[in-house]
Amino acid sequence: MTKTKRTQVAIIGAGPSGLLLGALLHKAGVDNIILERQSADYVLSRIRAGILEQVTVDLLHEAGVGSGVENHGTIHHSIELVFKNERHPIDVTSLTEGKVVTAYGQTEVTKDLMQHRALNKLETIYEAGEVELHDFESQNPYITYKIGDETHTLYADFIAGCDGFHGVCRASVPKGSIKEYEKVYPFGWLGILADVPPVSPHAIIYANSDRGFALCSMRSMTRSRYYIQCAMEDKVENWSDELFWAELKKRLDPELASKIITGPSIEKSIAPLRSFVAEPMRFGRLFLAGDAAHIVPPTGAKGLNLAATDVKYLSTAFIEYYKEKSSAGIDHYSSRCLKRIWRAERFSWWLTSLMHRFPDTEGFGQKVQEAELDYLVHSKALSKSLAENYVGLPLDFAE
Ligand code: APR
Ligand code: PHB
């Protein structure tokens, strides 16, 4: 094995951001190599959200990996809000002149992208240890990493930091060059995946109840994903499947609760809720994309969609650089992304604030939340605002 390689774009991280970037660049003839810390199986074992905006579905098609979502995705035309034990549909499609979202799991998106990469013989180096970035402020950046005990070097024109929130790329930027904005919410989500038909196969259900938030989602017509708000310090071991199902039902309206089909969980985990943005997203020849640069709380399912649009802007910028010898896209990458990111940050924060029980907000805060929910379901203007953010902004929004 040679210990030195060269490529045009070195991508760090084989999550959805890195894999989609690799596919879009390959399609345009731009060489890339992905370095991933984990094994492919480990990457696929992480369960994340599963609602795709049309912009994301279109990007999967553009990258040549659209057949999975086309054949196995489920179109959603509405969402339902539950509060005070009543269900209120929001007809997203009619409020947005025909737009829809598609339920298709992030795990499936990742699997499709991995298969496409393997089929096209594109290089992904899994289990790359001790990845380190060097000289990214110069014209000649490079990366060192370890395979077993051997140190390898990868030279590239550009480095794409697609290595998630805990990755090495953002951490390699000098503290004085980056500004971080963060909000941590005082609760988590306990989620389970189960091979049972979803209670609401054509709309995600968001429930605000006295006992806390609950969400009914799906991965397919035979696989469901449900969540309940839990305390930040709660542990998965505290929740048997029976306890989970019983608590979920208590947070839904009685009719819906009676329709829930329960079964053994195949995955159960607790996720913290965080809003986070790092600015800027470019440092010389290093570009951050996806969770490496920003996190949204999962309410509204914007994480994967934001990652996809970052990567679209980034691939366009690199392609322009190679084909048209123009640096314009590269120079505008960060500001272009951040405009869209802050819109989604606002939306995710707002929906999180509206739907959850906050430990320190009793009385007044709760009454205002109820009034806003009541206003939302009775006002076309507010419902339209929810719907247009839920289906996502167009790609050229930031122009
Ligand atoms: N070296 C190499 N790879 C790394 C390193 C490192 N030092 N650190 C992290 N990685 C890898 C992780 O193992 C992971 O596979 O980078 C990948 C990052 O993937 P994600 O965390 O899935 O981030 P991203 O691809 O940006 O996807 C964003 O994932 O978290 C959700 O809500 C989010 O849906 C959104 C999507
Ligand atoms: C999910 O399916 O995991 C999901 C769906 C909608 C959300 C959040 C998560 O708002």
Side-chain angles (χ1 to χ4, degrees), residues 5-299:
K5 290 178 190 288
R6 177 162 189 99
T7 188
Q8 290 177 306
V9 180
I11 300 173
I12 305 189
S17 301
L19 290 164
L20 182 58
L21 177 63
L24 290 168
L25 290 177
H26 166 70
K27 181 130 189 279
V30 177
D31 286 344
N32 61 88
I33 294 179
I34 300 185
L35 288 179
E36 165 60 52
R37 175 164 64 179
Q38 307 286 357
S39 67
D41 284 346
Y42 182 93
V43 172
L44 287 173
S45 70
R46 294 184 297 224
I47 308 294
R48 303 263 175 77
I51 293 294
L52 308 186
E53 295 173 5
Q54 192 57 43
V55 163
T56 305
V57 172
D58 293 345
L59 278 175
L60 291 174
H61 282 293
E62 185 183 328
V65 287
S67 64
V69 64
E70 186 74 32
N71 296 325
H72 304 292
T74 307
I75 303 278
H76 283 188
H77 295 281
S78 64
I79 63 173
E80 299 210 2
L81 300 180
V82 178
F83 60 97
K84 290 192 164 168
N85 278 328
E86 269 181 47
R87 230 173 328 146
H88 303 267
I90 306 274
D91 187 347
V92 167
T93 299
S94 72
L95 288 162
T96 57
E97 284 95 39
K99 299 214 171 78
V100 298
V101 297
T102 305
Y104 189 64
Q106 178 169 322
T107 311
E108 307 311 313
V109 171
T110 309
K111 210 183 284 170
D112 295 347
L113 285 161
M114 281 180 174
Q115 273 170 8
H116 171 267
R117 217 169 154 83
L119 220 67
N120 286 281
K121 303 201 168 29
L122 305 180
E123 191 167 5
T124 311
I125 301 167
Y126 285 100
E127 299 182 77
E130 298 179 33
V131 170
E132 284 179 28
L133 279 57
H134 306 270
D135 295 352
F136 54 81
E137 292 285 0
S138 80
Q139 300 293 309
N140 302 298
Y142 66 99
I143 299 167
T144 53
Y145 59 98
K146 278 198 163 169
I147 301 291
D149 290 336
E150 268 191 342
T151 301
H152 294 245
T153 305
L154 174 59
Y155 293 94
D157 298 333
F158 299 105
I159 301 174
C162 301
D163 53 346
F165 185 64
H166 299 288
V168 64
C169 293
R170 196 181 69 253
S172 303
V173 174
K175 281 276 163 276
S177 310
I178 194 164
K179 183 151 175 54
E180 299 184 345
Y181 300 84
E182 184 172 41
K183 178 176 176 64
V184 177
Y185 299 84
F187 39 73
W189 277 17
L190 168 65
I192 75 169
L193 196 64
D195 277 331
V196 290
V199 68
S200 169
H202 298 290
I204 302 293
I205 293 173
Y206 294 89
N208 173 315
S209 88
D210 293 347
R211 303 179 68 90
F213 173 72
L215 188 149
C216 307
S217 181
M218 60 184 288
R219 291 293 174 267
S220 69
M221 289 304 177
T222 54
R223 182 168 284 188
S224 301
R225 180 76 167 152
Y226 294 103
Y227 300 94
I228 54 174
Q229 175 184 350
C230 64
M232 237 176 163
E233 56 286 350
D234 212 338
K235 298 266 175 291
V236 170
E237 302 78 74
N238 297 337
W239 291 90
S240 65
D241 289 356
E242 290 66 32
L243 265 178
F244 179 92
W245 292 118
E247 184 60 35
L248 174 69
K249 288 180 187 179
K250 285 182 201 160
R251 297 182 186 197
L252 303 173
D253 65 281
E255 197 218 337
L256 196 65
S258 70
K259 289 192 187 147
I260 296 263
I261 300 175
T262 66
S265 63
I266 51 174
E267 196 264 358
K268 199 187 282 161
S269 53
I270 292 181
L273 271 74
R274 184 197 302 272
S275 298
F276 173 87
V277 182
E279 295 189 2
M281 292 166 65
R282 177 206 177 171
F283 308 89
R285 287 185 168 242
L286 167 64
F287 297 78
L288 303 179
D291 278 18
H294 44 78
I295 296 284
V296 285
T299 336

